[in-house]
Short mmCIF file of all heavy atoms in Angstrom, two decimals:
data_model
loop_
_atom_site.label_atom_id
_atom_site.label_comp_id
_atom_site.label_asym_id
_atom_site.label_seq_id
_atom_site.Cartn_x
_atom_site.Cartn_y
_atom_site.Cartn_z
N LYS B 1 0.84 -1.20 0.00
CA LYS B 1 0.00 0.00 0.00
C LYS B 1 0.88 1.24 0.00
O LYS B 1 1.94 1.26 0.61
CB LYS B 1 -0.88 0.04 1.24
CG LYS B 1 -1.89 -1.06 1.32
CD LYS B 1 -2.69 -0.92 2.61
CE LYS B 1 -3.60 -2.10 2.78
NZ LYS B 1 -4.37 -2.01 3.99
N ASN B 2 0.37 2.26 -0.63
CA ASN B 2 1.17 3.48 -0.59
C ASN B 2 0.92 4.23 0.70
O ASN B 2 -0.03 3.97 1.45
CB ASN B 2 0.89 4.36 -1.82
CG ASN B 2 -0.53 4.89 -1.86
OD1 ASN B 2 -1.11 5.22 -0.83
ND2 ASN B 2 -1.08 5.01 -3.05
N LYS B 3 1.79 5.17 0.99
CA LYS B 3 1.76 5.89 2.27
C LYS B 3 0.46 6.66 2.47
O LYS B 3 -0.11 6.67 3.57
CB LYS B 3 2.96 6.84 2.35
CG LYS B 3 3.13 7.50 3.68
CD LYS B 3 4.40 8.31 3.71
CE LYS B 3 4.58 8.94 5.06
NZ LYS B 3 5.84 9.68 5.16
N THR B 4 -0.04 7.29 1.42
CA THR B 4 -1.28 8.07 1.53
C THR B 4 -2.45 7.19 1.90
O THR B 4 -3.26 7.53 2.77
CB THR B 4 -1.56 8.82 0.21
OG1 THR B 4 -0.45 9.65 -0.10
CG2 THR B 4 -2.82 9.65 0.30
N LYS B 5 -2.55 6.04 1.28
CA LYS B 5 -3.65 5.12 1.56
C LYS B 5 -3.57 4.63 3.01
O LYS B 5 -4.59 4.54 3.70
CB LYS B 5 -3.65 3.95 0.59
CG LYS B 5 -4.85 3.07 0.75
CD LYS B 5 -4.98 2.07 -0.36
CE LYS B 5 -6.25 1.28 -0.16
NZ LYS B 5 -6.53 0.40 -1.26
N ARG B 6 -2.37 4.32 3.48
CA ARG B 6 -2.20 3.88 4.87
C ARG B 6 -2.60 4.98 5.85
O ARG B 6 -3.24 4.71 6.87
CB ARG B 6 -0.76 3.44 5.13
CG ARG B 6 -0.41 2.10 4.52
CD ARG B 6 0.89 1.53 5.06
NE ARG B 6 1.98 2.49 5.13
CZ ARG B 6 2.92 2.64 4.20
NH1 ARG B 6 2.90 1.89 3.11
NH2 ARG B 6 3.89 3.52 4.35
N MET B 7 -2.23 6.21 5.55
CA MET B 7 -2.59 7.34 6.42
C MET B 7 -4.11 7.52 6.45
O MET B 7 -4.69 7.75 7.51
CB MET B 7 -1.92 8.63 5.95
CG MET B 7 -0.42 8.64 6.14
SD MET B 7 0.06 8.62 7.88
CE MET B 7 -0.40 10.26 8.37
N LEU B 8 -4.76 7.44 5.30
CA LEU B 8 -6.22 7.58 5.25
C LEU B 8 -6.90 6.48 6.05
O LEU B 8 -7.86 6.74 6.77
CB LEU B 8 -6.71 7.56 3.80
CG LEU B 8 -6.41 8.80 2.98
CD1 LEU B 8 -6.79 8.57 1.51
CD2 LEU B 8 -7.14 10.01 3.54
N GLU B 9 -6.40 5.26 5.94
CA GLU B 9 -6.96 4.15 6.70
C GLU B 9 -6.76 4.37 8.20
O GLU B 9 -7.66 4.12 9.00
CB GLU B 9 -6.33 2.83 6.27
CG GLU B 9 -6.77 2.38 4.89
CD GLU B 9 -6.01 1.17 4.40
OE1 GLU B 9 -5.05 0.72 5.07
OE2 GLU B 9 -6.38 0.67 3.32
N TYR B 10 -5.59 4.86 8.59
CA TYR B 10 -5.29 5.13 9.99
C TYR B 10 -6.26 6.19 10.54
O TYR B 10 -6.87 6.00 11.60
CB TYR B 10 -3.84 5.59 10.14
CG TYR B 10 -3.51 6.05 11.54
CD1 TYR B 10 -3.21 5.13 12.53
CD2 TYR B 10 -3.49 7.41 11.85
CE1 TYR B 10 -2.90 5.55 13.82
CE2 TYR B 10 -3.19 7.84 13.14
CZ TYR B 10 -2.89 6.90 14.12
OH TYR B 10 -2.61 7.32 15.39
N PHE B 11 -6.39 7.31 9.85
CA PHE B 11 -7.26 8.38 10.33
C PHE B 11 -8.73 7.96 10.32
O PHE B 11 -9.48 8.30 11.22
CB PHE B 11 -7.06 9.67 9.53
CG PHE B 11 -5.81 10.38 9.90
CD1 PHE B 11 -4.77 10.51 9.00
CD2 PHE B 11 -5.63 10.90 11.18
CE1 PHE B 11 -3.60 11.16 9.35
CE2 PHE B 11 -4.47 11.55 11.54
CZ PHE B 11 -3.44 11.68 10.62
N SER B 12 -9.12 7.19 9.34
CA SER B 12 -10.49 6.69 9.30
C SER B 12 -10.78 5.81 10.51
O SER B 12 -11.83 5.93 11.15
CB SER B 12 -10.71 5.89 8.01
OG SER B 12 -12.00 5.36 7.99
N GLN B 13 -9.82 4.96 10.85
CA GLN B 13 -9.98 4.08 12.03
C GLN B 13 -10.07 4.92 13.30
O GLN B 13 -10.90 4.65 14.17
CB GLN B 13 -8.81 3.11 12.12
CG GLN B 13 -8.88 2.23 13.34
CD GLN B 13 -7.64 1.36 13.51
OE1 GLN B 13 -6.72 1.38 12.70
NE2 GLN B 13 -7.60 0.60 14.58
N LYS B 14 -9.22 5.93 13.45
CA LYS B 14 -9.23 6.77 14.65
C LYS B 14 -10.53 7.54 14.77
O LYS B 14 -11.09 7.67 15.86
CB LYS B 14 -8.03 7.73 14.66
CG LYS B 14 -6.70 7.02 14.79
CD LYS B 14 -6.66 6.17 16.06
CE LYS B 14 -5.44 5.31 16.14
NZ LYS B 14 -5.50 4.34 17.22
N ILE B 15 -11.04 8.05 13.66
CA ILE B 15 -12.32 8.77 13.67
C ILE B 15 -13.43 7.83 14.11
O ILE B 15 -14.27 8.17 14.94
CB ILE B 15 -12.61 9.39 12.29
CG1 ILE B 15 -11.66 10.57 12.06
CG2 ILE B 15 -14.07 9.83 12.18
CD1 ILE B 15 -11.65 11.07 10.63
N GLN B 16 -13.43 6.61 13.57
CA GLN B 16 -14.44 5.63 13.95
C GLN B 16 -14.34 5.28 15.44
O GLN B 16 -15.36 5.09 16.10
CB GLN B 16 -14.32 4.38 13.09
CG GLN B 16 -14.77 4.61 11.67
CD GLN B 16 -14.52 3.42 10.77
OE1 GLN B 16 -13.98 2.40 11.19
NE2 GLN B 16 -14.90 3.55 9.51
N GLU B 17 -13.13 5.20 15.97
CA GLU B 17 -12.95 4.91 17.40
C GLU B 17 -13.53 6.04 18.25
O GLU B 17 -14.21 5.77 19.25
CB GLU B 17 -11.47 4.72 17.72
CG GLU B 17 -10.89 3.43 17.20
CD GLU B 17 -9.39 3.32 17.41
OE1 GLU B 17 -8.80 4.15 18.13
OE2 GLU B 17 -8.79 2.38 16.85
N ILE B 18 -13.28 7.28 17.86
CA ILE B 18 -13.83 8.43 18.61
C ILE B 18 -15.35 8.41 18.52
O ILE B 18 -16.04 8.58 19.54
CB ILE B 18 -13.27 9.76 18.06
CG1 ILE B 18 -11.78 9.87 18.38
CG2 ILE B 18 -14.04 10.95 18.63
CD1 ILE B 18 -11.08 11.00 17.65
N GLU B 19 -15.89 8.19 17.34
CA GLU B 19 -17.34 8.16 17.16
C GLU B 19 -17.98 7.07 18.01
O GLU B 19 -19.01 7.28 18.64
CB GLU B 19 -17.70 7.97 15.69
CG GLU B 19 -17.39 9.18 14.83
CD GLU B 19 -17.71 8.96 13.37
OE1 GLU B 19 -17.61 7.81 12.88
OE2 GLU B 19 -18.07 9.94 12.71
N SER B 20 -17.34 5.92 18.04
CA SER B 20 -17.87 4.81 18.82
C SER B 20 -17.77 5.09 20.32
O SER B 20 -18.73 4.87 21.06
CB SER B 20 -17.09 3.53 18.47
OG SER B 20 -17.52 2.47 19.26
N TYR B 21 -16.64 5.60 20.76
CA TYR B 21 -16.41 5.85 22.18
C TYR B 21 -17.42 6.87 22.72
O TYR B 21 -17.98 6.70 23.80
CB TYR B 21 -14.98 6.33 22.41
CG TYR B 21 -14.64 6.53 23.86
CD1 TYR B 21 -14.24 5.46 24.65
CD2 TYR B 21 -14.74 7.79 24.45
CE1 TYR B 21 -13.93 5.63 26.00
CE2 TYR B 21 -14.43 7.98 25.80
CZ TYR B 21 -14.03 6.90 26.56
OH TYR B 21 -13.73 7.07 27.89
N TYR B 22 -17.62 7.96 21.98
CA TYR B 22 -18.52 9.03 22.44
C TYR B 22 -19.95 8.89 21.93
O TYR B 22 -20.81 9.70 22.24
CB TYR B 22 -17.96 10.40 22.04
CG TYR B 22 -16.72 10.76 22.81
CD1 TYR B 22 -15.47 10.69 22.21
CD2 TYR B 22 -16.79 11.14 24.15
CE1 TYR B 22 -14.31 11.01 22.92
CE2 TYR B 22 -15.64 11.45 24.86
CZ TYR B 22 -14.41 11.38 24.24
OH TYR B 22 -13.27 11.69 24.94
N ASN B 23 -20.19 7.85 21.13
CA ASN B 23 -21.51 7.61 20.54
C ASN B 23 -22.03 8.84 19.79
O ASN B 23 -23.14 9.31 20.01
CB ASN B 23 -22.51 7.16 21.61
CG ASN B 23 -23.76 6.57 21.01
OD1 ASN B 23 -23.72 5.99 19.92
ND2 ASN B 23 -24.88 6.73 21.68
N ILE B 24 -21.16 9.36 18.93
CA ILE B 24 -21.50 10.51 18.10
C ILE B 24 -21.05 10.26 16.66
O ILE B 24 -20.31 9.31 16.41
CB ILE B 24 -20.84 11.83 18.60
CG1 ILE B 24 -19.31 11.71 18.58
CG2 ILE B 24 -21.35 12.20 19.98
CD1 ILE B 24 -18.58 13.00 18.91
N LYS B 25 -21.49 11.09 15.75
CA LYS B 25 -21.00 11.08 14.38
C LYS B 25 -20.31 12.40 14.11
O LYS B 25 -20.92 13.46 14.21
CB LYS B 25 -22.15 10.88 13.37
CG LYS B 25 -22.75 9.50 13.41
CD LYS B 25 -21.74 8.48 12.92
CE LYS B 25 -22.29 7.08 12.98
NZ LYS B 25 -21.24 6.08 12.80
N LEU B 26 -19.01 12.35 13.85
CA LEU B 26 -18.25 13.57 13.60
C LEU B 26 -18.50 14.11 12.20
O LEU B 26 -18.38 15.31 11.97
CB LEU B 26 -16.76 13.31 13.79
CG LEU B 26 -16.34 12.89 15.21
CD1 LEU B 26 -14.87 12.53 15.23
CD2 LEU B 26 -16.66 13.99 16.20
N PHE B 27 -18.83 13.22 11.28
CA PHE B 27 -19.01 13.63 9.89
C PHE B 27 -20.34 13.12 9.34
O PHE B 27 -20.84 12.07 9.76
CB PHE B 27 -17.88 13.08 9.01
CG PHE B 27 -16.54 13.65 9.36
CD1 PHE B 27 -15.68 12.96 10.19
CD2 PHE B 27 -16.15 14.88 8.86
CE1 PHE B 27 -14.45 13.49 10.54
CE2 PHE B 27 -14.92 15.41 9.20
CZ PHE B 27 -14.07 14.72 10.03
N GLN B 28 -20.87 13.87 8.40
CA GLN B 28 -22.00 13.41 7.62
C GLN B 28 -21.40 12.80 6.36
O GLN B 28 -20.66 13.47 5.64
CB GLN B 28 -22.93 14.57 7.24
CG GLN B 28 -23.61 15.20 8.43
CD GLN B 28 -24.40 16.43 8.01
OE1 GLN B 28 -23.96 17.23 7.20
NE2 GLN B 28 -25.57 16.57 8.59
N ARG B 29 -21.70 11.55 6.13
CA ARG B 29 -21.13 10.86 4.98
C ARG B 29 -22.17 10.75 3.89
O ARG B 29 -23.29 10.31 4.12
CB ARG B 29 -20.63 9.49 5.41
CG ARG B 29 -19.44 9.57 6.34
CD ARG B 29 -19.21 8.24 7.06
NE ARG B 29 -18.03 8.28 7.92
CZ ARG B 29 -18.03 8.72 9.16
NH1 ARG B 29 -19.14 9.17 9.71
NH2 ARG B 29 -16.92 8.72 9.88
N PHE B 30 -21.76 11.18 2.70
CA PHE B 30 -22.61 11.10 1.52
C PHE B 30 -21.92 10.18 0.52
O PHE B 30 -20.77 9.79 0.71
CB PHE B 30 -22.84 12.49 0.94
CG PHE B 30 -23.39 13.47 1.95
CD1 PHE B 30 -22.57 14.42 2.53
CD2 PHE B 30 -24.72 13.43 2.33
CE1 PHE B 30 -23.06 15.32 3.47
CE2 PHE B 30 -25.23 14.32 3.27
CZ PHE B 30 -24.39 15.26 3.83
N SER B 31 -22.60 9.85 -0.57
CA SER B 31 -22.03 8.89 -1.51
C SER B 31 -20.66 9.32 -2.05
O SER B 31 -19.77 8.50 -2.19
CB SER B 31 -22.99 8.61 -2.66
OG SER B 31 -23.27 9.80 -3.36
N LYS B 32 -20.50 10.60 -2.34
CA LYS B 32 -19.22 11.04 -2.91
C LYS B 32 -18.60 12.22 -2.17
O LYS B 32 -17.67 12.83 -2.66
CB LYS B 32 -19.40 11.42 -4.38
CG LYS B 32 -19.77 10.24 -5.24
CD LYS B 32 -19.72 10.58 -6.69
CE LYS B 32 -20.07 9.32 -7.47
NZ LYS B 32 -19.73 9.44 -8.86
N SER B 33 -19.13 12.50 -0.99
CA SER B 33 -18.56 13.62 -0.24
C SER B 33 -18.73 13.40 1.26
O SER B 33 -19.32 12.42 1.69
CB SER B 33 -19.22 14.94 -0.66
OG SER B 33 -20.58 14.94 -0.30
N LEU B 34 -18.22 14.34 1.99
CA LEU B 34 -18.16 14.23 3.44
C LEU B 34 -18.24 15.64 3.99
O LEU B 34 -17.66 16.57 3.45
CB LEU B 34 -16.82 13.58 3.78
CG LEU B 34 -16.28 13.46 5.15
CD1 LEU B 34 -17.05 12.41 5.93
CD2 LEU B 34 -14.84 13.01 5.05
N GLY B 35 -18.97 15.82 5.08
CA GLY B 35 -19.06 17.12 5.72
C GLY B 35 -19.09 16.94 7.23
O GLY B 35 -19.48 15.88 7.73
N ILE B 36 -18.67 17.96 7.95
CA ILE B 36 -18.67 17.86 9.40
C ILE B 36 -20.10 17.96 9.91
O ILE B 36 -20.89 18.76 9.43
CB ILE B 36 -17.74 18.93 10.04
CG1 ILE B 36 -17.51 18.63 11.51
CG2 ILE B 36 -18.27 20.32 9.82
CD1 ILE B 36 -16.34 19.36 12.12
N SER B 37 -20.44 17.12 10.87
CA SER B 37 -21.79 17.11 11.45
C SER B 37 -21.89 18.18 12.53
O SER B 37 -20.89 18.76 12.97
CB SER B 37 -22.10 15.74 12.05
OG SER B 37 -21.29 15.53 13.20
N GLU B 38 -23.10 18.42 13.01
CA GLU B 38 -23.29 19.36 14.12
C GLU B 38 -22.55 18.86 15.36
O GLU B 38 -21.89 19.64 16.05
CB GLU B 38 -24.78 19.52 14.42
CG GLU B 38 -25.07 20.59 15.45
CD GLU B 38 -26.56 20.83 15.66
OE1 GLU B 38 -27.36 20.49 14.77
OE2 GLU B 38 -26.91 21.35 16.73
N GLU B 39 -22.64 17.55 15.61
CA GLU B 39 -21.89 16.97 16.74
C GLU B 39 -20.39 17.14 16.54
O GLU B 39 -19.65 17.39 17.49
CB GLU B 39 -22.21 15.48 16.88
CG GLU B 39 -23.62 15.19 17.32
CD GLU B 39 -23.94 13.71 17.30
OE1 GLU B 39 -23.52 13.01 16.35
OE2 GLU B 39 -24.60 13.24 18.24
N GLY B 40 -19.94 17.00 15.30
CA GLY B 40 -18.53 17.18 14.98
C GLY B 40 -18.06 18.60 15.23
O GLY B 40 -16.95 18.83 15.73
N GLU B 41 -18.90 19.58 14.91
CA GLU B 41 -18.58 20.99 15.17
C GLU B 41 -18.42 21.23 16.67
O GLU B 41 -17.46 21.88 17.10
CB GLU B 41 -19.67 21.91 14.62
CG GLU B 41 -19.75 21.99 13.12
CD GLU B 41 -18.74 22.95 12.52
OE1 GLU B 41 -17.98 23.60 13.27
OE2 GLU B 41 -18.72 23.04 11.29
N ILE B 42 -19.34 20.69 17.46
CA ILE B 42 -19.28 20.85 18.91
C ILE B 42 -18.04 20.17 19.47
O ILE B 42 -17.32 20.73 20.30
CB ILE B 42 -20.57 20.31 19.57
CG1 ILE B 42 -21.76 21.18 19.14
CG2 ILE B 42 -20.44 20.25 21.09
CD1 ILE B 42 -23.12 20.58 19.45
N PHE B 43 -17.76 18.96 19.02
CA PHE B 43 -16.58 18.22 19.46
C PHE B 43 -15.31 19.01 19.13
O PHE B 43 -14.41 19.15 19.97
CB PHE B 43 -16.55 16.84 18.79
CG PHE B 43 -15.46 15.94 19.26
CD1 PHE B 43 -15.60 15.22 20.43
CD2 PHE B 43 -14.29 15.80 18.54
CE1 PHE B 43 -14.59 14.37 20.88
CE2 PHE B 43 -13.27 14.96 18.97
CZ PHE B 43 -13.43 14.25 20.14
N LEU B 44 -15.24 19.55 17.93
CA LEU B 44 -14.08 20.32 17.50
C LEU B 44 -13.88 21.56 18.37
O LEU B 44 -12.75 21.88 18.75
CB LEU B 44 -14.23 20.73 16.03
CG LEU B 44 -13.08 21.50 15.41
CD1 LEU B 44 -11.78 20.71 15.47
CD2 LEU B 44 -13.42 21.86 13.97
N GLU B 45 -14.96 22.24 18.71
CA GLU B 45 -14.86 23.40 19.60
C GLU B 45 -14.25 23.01 20.95
O GLU B 45 -13.38 23.71 21.47
CB GLU B 45 -16.24 24.01 19.84
CG GLU B 45 -16.81 24.76 18.66
CD GLU B 45 -18.23 25.25 18.91
OE1 GLU B 45 -18.61 25.43 20.09
OE2 GLU B 45 -18.96 25.45 17.92
N HIS B 46 -14.71 21.90 21.51
CA HIS B 46 -14.18 21.44 22.80
C HIS B 46 -12.71 21.04 22.70
O HIS B 46 -11.92 21.38 23.58
CB HIS B 46 -15.01 20.28 23.34
CG HIS B 46 -16.36 20.68 23.85
ND1 HIS B 46 -16.54 21.34 25.03
CD2 HIS B 46 -17.59 20.53 23.31
CE1 HIS B 46 -17.83 21.58 25.22
NE2 HIS B 46 -18.48 21.10 24.17
N VAL B 47 -12.35 20.34 21.64
CA VAL B 47 -10.96 19.93 21.45
C VAL B 47 -10.07 21.16 21.32
O VAL B 47 -8.99 21.24 21.94
CB VAL B 47 -10.81 19.01 20.21
CG1 VAL B 47 -9.35 18.82 19.84
CG2 VAL B 47 -11.48 17.68 20.47
N ASN B 48 -10.51 22.15 20.55
CA ASN B 48 -9.71 23.37 20.39
C ASN B 48 -9.54 24.11 21.71
O ASN B 48 -8.46 24.63 22.00
CB ASN B 48 -10.32 24.29 19.33
CG ASN B 48 -10.00 23.82 17.93
OD1 ASN B 48 -8.96 23.23 17.68
ND2 ASN B 48 -10.90 24.07 17.01
N LYS B 49 -10.58 24.16 22.54
CA LYS B 49 -10.47 24.80 23.85
C LYS B 49 -9.43 24.08 24.72
O LYS B 49 -8.62 24.72 25.39
CB LYS B 49 -11.82 24.82 24.56
CG LYS B 49 -12.80 25.83 23.99
CD LYS B 49 -14.12 25.77 24.73
CE LYS B 49 -15.14 26.69 24.08
NZ LYS B 49 -16.46 26.58 24.74
N ILE B 50 -9.47 22.77 24.70
CA ILE B 50 -8.51 21.98 25.49
C ILE B 50 -7.09 22.21 24.99
O ILE B 50 -6.17 22.46 25.78
CB ILE B 50 -8.88 20.48 25.44
CG1 ILE B 50 -10.20 20.23 26.19
CG2 ILE B 50 -7.75 19.62 26.00
CD1 ILE B 50 -10.81 18.88 25.94
N LEU B 51 -6.89 22.17 23.67
CA LEU B 51 -5.55 22.38 23.12
C LEU B 51 -5.05 23.79 23.42
O LEU B 51 -3.86 23.98 23.73
CB LEU B 51 -5.55 22.11 21.62
CG LEU B 51 -5.80 20.66 21.21
CD1 LEU B 51 -5.87 20.53 19.70
CD2 LEU B 51 -4.74 19.74 21.78
N ASN B 52 -5.93 24.78 23.37
CA ASN B 52 -5.53 26.15 23.68
C ASN B 52 -5.12 26.29 25.15
O ASN B 52 -4.20 27.04 25.47
CB ASN B 52 -6.66 27.14 23.35
CG ASN B 52 -6.81 27.33 21.86
OD1 ASN B 52 -5.87 27.16 21.10
ND2 ASN B 52 -8.01 27.71 21.43
N LYS B 53 -5.80 25.57 26.04
CA LYS B 53 -5.42 25.60 27.46
C LYS B 53 -4.01 25.03 27.65
O LYS B 53 -3.21 25.58 28.41
CB LYS B 53 -6.44 24.86 28.31
CG LYS B 53 -7.73 25.63 28.47
CD LYS B 53 -8.68 24.93 29.42
CE LYS B 53 -10.00 25.63 29.45
NZ LYS B 53 -10.05 26.80 30.28
N PHE B 54 -3.71 23.92 26.98
CA PHE B 54 -2.37 23.35 27.07
C PHE B 54 -1.33 24.35 26.55
O PHE B 54 -0.30 24.56 27.16
CB PHE B 54 -2.27 22.03 26.29
CG PHE B 54 -2.72 20.84 27.06
CD1 PHE B 54 -3.92 20.22 26.76
CD2 PHE B 54 -1.94 20.31 28.07
CE1 PHE B 54 -4.35 19.10 27.47
CE2 PHE B 54 -2.35 19.19 28.78
CZ PHE B 54 -3.56 18.59 28.48
N THR B 55 -1.62 24.95 25.40
CA THR B 55 -0.70 25.91 24.81
C THR B 55 -0.48 27.10 25.74
O THR B 55 0.64 27.59 25.88
CB THR B 55 -1.23 26.38 23.44
OG1 THR B 55 -1.39 25.23 22.60
CG2 THR B 55 -0.27 27.35 22.77
N SER B 56 -1.54 27.55 26.40
CA SER B 56 -1.43 28.72 27.28
C SER B 56 -0.53 28.47 28.49
O SER B 56 0.00 29.42 29.07
CB SER B 56 -2.81 29.19 27.73
OG SER B 56 -3.37 28.31 28.67
N ILE B 57 -0.35 27.21 28.86
CA ILE B 57 0.54 26.90 29.99
C ILE B 57 1.91 26.40 29.50
O ILE B 57 2.71 25.91 30.29
CB ILE B 57 -0.10 25.88 30.97
CG1 ILE B 57 -0.39 24.55 30.29
CG2 ILE B 57 -1.34 26.47 31.61
CD1 ILE B 57 -0.77 23.44 31.25
N GLY B 58 2.14 26.54 28.21
CA GLY B 58 3.46 26.22 27.67
C GLY B 58 3.66 24.79 27.24
O GLY B 58 4.79 24.38 26.99
N VAL B 59 2.61 24.02 27.16
CA VAL B 59 2.71 22.63 26.69
C VAL B 59 2.19 22.58 25.26
O VAL B 59 1.03 22.89 25.00
CB VAL B 59 1.88 21.67 27.57
CG1 VAL B 59 1.95 20.26 27.04
CG2 VAL B 59 2.34 21.74 29.02
N HIS B 60 3.08 22.24 24.35
CA HIS B 60 2.69 22.21 22.95
C HIS B 60 2.05 20.86 22.62
O HIS B 60 2.64 19.82 22.89
CB HIS B 60 3.90 22.44 22.04
CG HIS B 60 3.51 22.80 20.66
ND1 HIS B 60 3.07 21.89 19.74
CD2 HIS B 60 3.46 24.01 20.04
CE1 HIS B 60 2.78 22.50 18.61
NE2 HIS B 60 3.01 23.78 18.77
N PRO B 61 0.82 20.89 22.06
CA PRO B 61 0.12 19.63 21.77
C PRO B 61 0.90 18.66 20.89
O PRO B 61 0.74 17.46 21.01
CB PRO B 61 -1.16 20.09 21.07
CG PRO B 61 -1.38 21.48 21.56
CD PRO B 61 0.00 22.04 21.77
N ARG B 62 1.79 19.16 20.04
CA ARG B 62 2.56 18.25 19.19
C ARG B 62 3.57 17.43 19.99
O ARG B 62 4.13 16.48 19.48
CB ARG B 62 3.27 19.03 18.09
CG ARG B 62 2.30 19.54 17.06
CD ARG B 62 3.01 20.23 15.96
NE ARG B 62 2.03 20.81 15.05
CZ ARG B 62 2.14 20.80 13.75
NH1 ARG B 62 3.20 20.29 13.19
NH2 ARG B 62 1.21 21.32 13.00
N SER B 63 3.78 17.82 21.24
CA SER B 63 4.71 17.05 22.08
C SER B 63 4.03 15.84 22.72
O SER B 63 4.70 15.02 23.34
CB SER B 63 5.32 17.94 23.16
OG SER B 63 4.32 18.35 24.09
N PHE B 64 2.72 15.73 22.56
CA PHE B 64 1.98 14.60 23.14
C PHE B 64 2.39 13.31 22.45
O PHE B 64 2.57 13.26 21.25
CB PHE B 64 0.47 14.77 22.99
CG PHE B 64 -0.11 15.95 23.71
CD1 PHE B 64 -1.39 16.37 23.42
CD2 PHE B 64 0.59 16.66 24.67
CE1 PHE B 64 -1.96 17.46 24.08
CE2 PHE B 64 0.04 17.73 25.33
CZ PHE B 64 -1.23 18.13 25.03
N ARG B 65 2.48 12.27 23.24
CA ARG B 65 2.75 10.93 22.69
C ARG B 65 1.67 10.00 23.19
O ARG B 65 1.39 9.93 24.37
CB ARG B 65 4.12 10.41 23.16
CG ARG B 65 5.28 11.20 22.63
CD ARG B 65 5.47 10.97 21.13
NE ARG B 65 6.56 11.73 20.62
CZ ARG B 65 6.44 12.81 19.86
NH1 ARG B 65 5.26 13.27 19.56
NH2 ARG B 65 7.49 13.45 19.41
N PHE B 66 1.06 9.30 22.26
CA PHE B 66 -0.01 8.37 22.61
C PHE B 66 0.44 6.97 22.30
O PHE B 66 1.00 6.70 21.25
CB PHE B 66 -1.30 8.71 21.83
CG PHE B 66 -1.79 10.09 22.08
CD1 PHE B 66 -1.50 11.12 21.20
CD2 PHE B 66 -2.52 10.38 23.21
CE1 PHE B 66 -1.94 12.41 21.43
CE2 PHE B 66 -2.97 11.66 23.47
CZ PHE B 66 -2.69 12.68 22.57
N GLU B 67 0.20 6.10 23.20
CA GLU B 67 0.57 4.69 23.01
C GLU B 67 -0.66 3.86 22.81
O GLU B 67 -1.69 4.09 23.31
CB GLU B 67 1.37 4.17 24.22
CG GLU B 67 2.65 4.93 24.44
CD GLU B 67 3.66 4.79 23.32
OE1 GLU B 67 3.75 3.70 22.74
OE2 GLU B 67 4.36 5.77 23.03
#
């Protein structure tokens, strides 16, 4: 598989894990397109607030490591 396809599969899996864990749909899926859902907009707002709080105390989100 090429690198782009592997990355898309990885992100798709992670999105599905978040949707399953929180019992929400982050995206509206259509036959040939995709759009952010209302739940996705709310989730994104909360994530951005959390990341901004980390940044404000000097912790850069890119330094996070997840296992």
Side-chain angles (χ1 to χ4, degrees):
K1 295 179 186 180
N2 66 36
K3 187 175 182 177
T4 302
K5 186 169 183 174
R6 286 194 314 264
M7 291 294 289
L8 287 173
E9 289 173 354
Y10 173 81
F11 284 114
S12 178
Q13 177 186 358
K14 294 303 173 189
I15 289 168
Q16 289 174 359
E17 287 174 11
I18 292 168
E19 289 178 329
S20 176
Y21 184 83
Y22 291 105
N23 194 30
I24 60 174
K25 290 293 178 193
L26 298 174
F27 296 97
Q28 294 174 319
R29 293 164 177 86
F30 305 103
S31 60
K32 294 190 179 195
S33 66
L34 171 73
I36 192 164
S37 69
E38 186 175 339
E39 292 174 319
E41 290 278 358
I42 294 167
F43 185 82
L44 182 59
E45 287 175 25
H46 287 286
V47 168
N48 282 329
K49 286 179 185 177
I50 292 166
L51 293 176
N52 287 334
K53 286 185 187 280
F54 275 107
T55 302
S56 73
I57 61 169
V59 178
H60 196 282
R62 289 183 185 220
S63 67
F64 297 166
R65 294 289 179 254
F66 302 98
E67 300 295 324

